[in-house]
Amino acid sequence: MTYRDVVSRQVLTWACTAVGARMPVAMAPLALVFLVRERPGGYSLGAIIAAAYVLGEIVGAPVLGMRLRPERARGQLAVGLGLGAAGFLGLGLFPGAHPVVLAGFACLAGAAPSAATGALRTLLSSLVPERSVAQALSVESILTAGVWALSPAAVAGLALGVAPRVPLLLAAGLMASSVGGLWLLPAGWGTDGKDEAGGTGAPLLRVLVGAWPVYVTGAASMTLLGLSELVLPALLEQRGIGVGWSGPLLAGMAVGGGLGAFLYGLRGWPGLLRTRSLVLMAGTSACVVLAALIPSTPGIAVALVLGGTLQSGAMITRNLSLREVLPPGALAAGYSVMYAAAGAGYAATGSLAGALLKVTVPSTAILAGVGLTGLLTVTGWWGEARRAGRAARAARGVDVDVVRSAKSGASKRSWR
């Protein structure tokens, strides 16, 4: 297995479009904090506005994702990305507006383009042969890791070196440019002539709900990322390490994520997808535990890089698992629900960590978060195993019915 089938002009165009759509998402939370930090209650206000942004993403992704239609996805995505660019532009043009207005702009910027991640992932899969989908998803993860590694430095540099509004104006420009990139790509993706439910006649919502174990494990992987990002500064302070190291350490984790995605796509891996996911999540959890317990900066750095490497592989298995359990017409909606579940997992971890940091030390807060991750991971694995067992029993039942029908027909012909 190689990346040869993924290297094409269309995939390069897709990558440029995806960067324009996703870098604003990576920039937004930190940029919103910098935007209002000089105002009264700045950091608290920034956290509230950032929460409005994340809430828009969590609510908008499943709602808009379910409304996407493969045959006219381009137009729907263009409207969503255009409105998202308008939300970022409003934040950049009116930084002194009332907090409610800023929260409204932030919610629009988060909600309107929230279906783009799932739709662009589905579109990428349609640009490569079926045998190379795993490599395409690895390329997407590498690209995402690069975006998340670059964004914090870009936001901090522009906000402190130029003006706090500049990162949001840049985000608006990037998202607007992605709208133009859509017209260089196919208008939609094929579904093999099937509807969103795969021709089963089941409502789309029921089909999506049936994939809940995959969403649970996807949310679990983001709880680990949330723990690493949100508690790391406090952990460094507890260890007597300069808080300024948090940026390079998280950048290293993102680089590890890109490396892990690249390695995952180099070959086929043994075992069921849910088993691979369980192993990778267990490894990532172990790395986060080590980061919480190791007292030295180099040790924490190694643990985070290795954790990022394993976590990116776990996310790829989740996306591949979703392709297994959903029909082609429901994939974009399924990816959008996964996006919302991941955001909810990140937000839940942030809330848990924030509450625990008031009553315990950061290392203990991280260990408690890893416990929550483990519970979610095992629940998702159990749900997938149960679903697979039901499908196998149903298939055996169909086979038995076919055999009985064939025997009955043969006996009737013999009697005649």
Side-chain angles (χ1 to χ4, degrees):
M1 298 178 70
T2 69
Y3 286 94
R4 189 174 304 160
D5 291 329
V6 182
V7 180
S8 68
R9 181 176 297 178
Q10 277 198 320
V11 172
L12 178 60
T13 302
W14 176 92
C16 294
T17 304
V19 168
R22 294 183 184 181
M23 192 160 180
V25 176
M27 295 169 64
L30 186 58
L32 291 170
V33 171
F34 275 113
L35 182 69
V36 297
R37 74 187 186 99
E38 299 295 339
R39 295 173 61 164
Y43 286 111
S44 297
L45 177 60
I48 292 171
I49 296 174
Y53 175 84
V54 173
L55 180 62
E57 286 186 302
I58 293 173
V59 174
V63 173
L64 297 179
M66 289 178 62
R67 297 180 66 84
L68 275 175
R69 294 295 177 263
E71 66 278 3
R72 56 175 185 271
R74 177 194 287 163
Q76 292 175 284
L77 290 178
V79 171
L81 290 168
L83 290 174
F88 282 113
L89 184 62
L91 288 164
L93 291 179
F94 306 105
H98 191 279
V100 174
V101 175
L102 293 179
F105 279 132
C107 190
L108 175 64
S114 57
T117 296
L120 286 172
R121 182 175 299 140
T122 307
L123 183 59
L124 173 63
S125 300
S126 73
L127 297 178
V128 300
E130 182 66 27
R131 66 178 181 274
S132 300
V133 168
Q135 285 70 37
L137 294 176
S138 294
V139 167
E140 182 200 27
S141 294
I142 295 170
L143 184 71
T144 301
V147 165
W148 282 91
L150 176 63
S151 294
V155 169
L158 290 172
L160 297 175
V162 185
R165 68 172 68 191
V166 172
L168 291 160
L169 294 175
L170 174 61
L174 286 170
M175 192 161 279
S177 72
S178 70
V179 177
L182 291 175
W183 264 261
L184 301 176
L185 294 169
W189 52 85
T191 60
D192 299 326
K194 296 180 180 179
D195 60 16
E196 290 84 350
T200 64
L204 176 60
L205 180 60
R206 185 187 302 171
V207 172
L208 294 175
V209 170
W212 68 265
V214 185
Y215 308 139
V216 169
T217 317
S221 69
M222 287 303 292
T223 63
L224 291 176
L225 180 61
L227 277 175
S228 303
E229 290 188 348
L230 300 173
V231 187
L232 182 60
L235 177 69
L236 295 179
E237 208 169 78
Q238 178 191 354
R239 297 284 183 248
I241 302 170
V243 178
W245 278 102
S246 58
L249 288 173
L250 290 175
M253 187 176 184
V255 171
L259 175 63
F262 175 75
L263 293 175
Y264 190 94
L266 280 180
R267 50 160 295 177
W269 298 91
L272 299 172
L273 283 171
R274 65 175 181 271
T275 305
R276 286 184 232 164
S277 176
L278 183 66
V279 171
L280 290 168
M281 286 296 298
T284 307
S285 298
C287 290
V288 174
V289 169
L290 288 175
L293 299 179
I294 294 174
S296 64
T297 305
I300 294 174
V302 171
L304 289 179
V305 170
L306 183 56
T309 302
L310 297 174
Q311 193 256 357
S312 65
M315 282 306 299
I316 294 172
T317 64
R318 298 298 80 211
N319 291 327
L320 290 172
S321 292
L322 211 55
R323 289 180 59 84
E324 281 191 351
V325 301
L326 292 181
L331 268 178
Y335 286 139
S336 295
V337 175
M338 174 86 86
Y339 183 79
Y346 189 98
T349 302
S351 302
L352 175 64
L356 289 176
L357 285 175
K358 296 179 181 179
V359 297
T360 188
V361 295
S363 56
T364 304
I366 290 178
L367 295 178
V370 170
L372 172 62
T373 298
L375 177 62
L376 291 174
T377 301
V378 171
T379 300
W381 179 87
W382 170 80
E384 288 189 78
R386 186 183 178 200
R387 177 191 175 102
R390 285 201 307 265
R393 287 193 296 271
R396 286 196 297 269
V398 170
D399 291 341
V400 169
D401 289 342
V402 170
V403 171
R404 286 176 177 172
S405 177
K407 287 183 177 179
S408 175
S411 64
K412 288 180 179 179
R413 287 192 299 272
S414 174
W415 180 79
R416 288 177 179 176

